[in-house]
Amino acid sequence: DTGVSQDPRHKITKRGQNVTFRCDPISEHNRLYWYRQTLGQGPEFLTYFQNEAQLEKSRLLSDRFSAERPKGSFSTLEIQRTEQGDSAMYLCASSSPAPDRTGRLQETQYFGPGTRLLVL
Amino acid sequence: AQSVTQLDSQVPVFEEAPVELRCNYSSSVSVYLFWYVQYPNQGLQLLLKYLSGSTLVKGINGFEAEFNKSQTSFHLRKPSVHISDTAEYFCAVKPDRGSTLGRLYFGRGTQLTVWP
């Protein structure tokens, strides 16, 4: 178990450029999450996948953002036509939900180190 | 809807002193509760979690938290802090049912600074 990994760790880009981030979850985790964290704030949910299916997207995820998880393993998050307001830490997390004795689905999300994006 | 309030944005404390970081939440359904720690320029590390059972949960690095359903609180405590505990601490909740089943809702964080 090597943990969640993200690449790159840092990215500096100019406004208007496209950027793509990659996340490799803990092996055999079927859920993968993307969050965004701006300075002085807690992480905010963007989207998540169960296997290759994208199950939920936040309204924070504008049309310029797209996420994929084509084979149910790693995921990519692309931002097109970046804006200065996109500058943030992008966090990936993975989990493997399982039912408890009462049937409730219990889940713990494990986070990667994040990708820090700076848009100039 | 769910929301999380961390009542203190900054908590300074001297080394070996006790500390409590406060967290209150609001939810229309039952929730699971988590505390994460974030060191500078790093991702989030799970400290502890409450899923069910005993309301007093113990985590890593000597931290513990108590779930109080009537007060909708999940305060984090440590009896004696070290300088290495200096970090940002985030409280998070996750609904156990509903349309937003997957996501975590985070508070704004509490910066714990331990002074020698």
Side-chain angles (χ1 to χ4, degrees), chain B:
Chain B
Q2 287 74 34
S3 67
V4 178
T5 303
Q6 291 185 243
L7 296 162
D8 305 297
S9 59
Q10 299 198 34
V11 173
V13 64
F14 286 110
E15 193 173 21
E16 297 183 6
V19 70
E20 178 180 83
L21 306 184
R22 296 180 292 169
C23 172
N24 286 86
Y25 69 92
S26 172
S27 177
S28 55
V29 299
S30 298
V31 296
Y32 302 119
L33 296 143
F34 304 83
W35 275 98
Y36 286 87
V37 60
Q38 186 175 36
Y39 298 100
N41 298 313
Q42 295 188 25
L44 277 68
Q45 180 182 2
L46 180 68
L47 266 182
L48 49 77
K49 59 188 176 184
Y50 172 76
L51 302 179
S52 63
S54 172
T55 57
L56 181 64
V57 292
K58 294 188 184 297
I60 62 172
N61 302 340
F63 284 93
E64 64 180 32
E66 185 157 18
F67 169 51
N68 188 319
K69 188 174 182 179
S70 63
Q71 296 186 4
T72 60
S73 67
F74 191 54
H75 300 332
L76 181 70
R77 301 185 184 98
K78 186 169 182 177
S80 176
V81 294
H82 301 134
I83 288 179
S84 59
D85 293 323
T86 295
E88 188 93 23
Y89 291 79
F90 291 96
C91 180
V93 303
K94 182 180 171 312
D96 73 349
R97 68 189 72 117
S99 61
T100 58
L101 188 59
R103 65 173 73 182
L104 285 169
Y105 294 81
F106 285 89
R108 294 183 65 173
T110 296
Q111 173 65 44
L112 173 65
T113 302
V114 182
W115 298 97

Side-chain angles (χ1 to χ4, degrees), chain A residues 14-86:
Chain A
K14 292 181 179 179
R15 189 176 51 189
Q17 297 294 305
N18 299 344
V19 294
T20 300
F21 309 141
R22 176 181 170 123
C23 171
D24 286 88
I26 293 171
S27 59
E28 298 180 358
H29 275 191
N30 57 2
R31 283 195 181 177
L32 187 149
Y33 296 80
W34 286 99
Y35 292 84
R36 182 173 70 185
Q37 183 181 20
T38 53
L39 207 58
Q41 303 292 322
E44 295 175 292
F45 170 82
L46 292 178
T47 187
Y48 90 97
F49 295 83
Q50 179 145 318
N51 301 312
E52 63 274 9
Q54 190 172 18
L55 294 190
E56 188 183 358
K57 293 195 293 186
S58 162
R59 60 179 180 273
L60 290 176
L61 212 66
S62 75
D63 292 344
R64 298 183 297 105
F65 287 71
S66 63
E68 294 183 341
R69 195 183 183 198
K71 297 183 179 178
S73 57
F74 73 92
S75 174
T76 57
L77 177 68
E78 182 183 16
I79 309 175
Q80 297 183 326
R81 305 181 303 282
T82 52
E83 301 172 357
Q84 288 183 326
D86 297 331

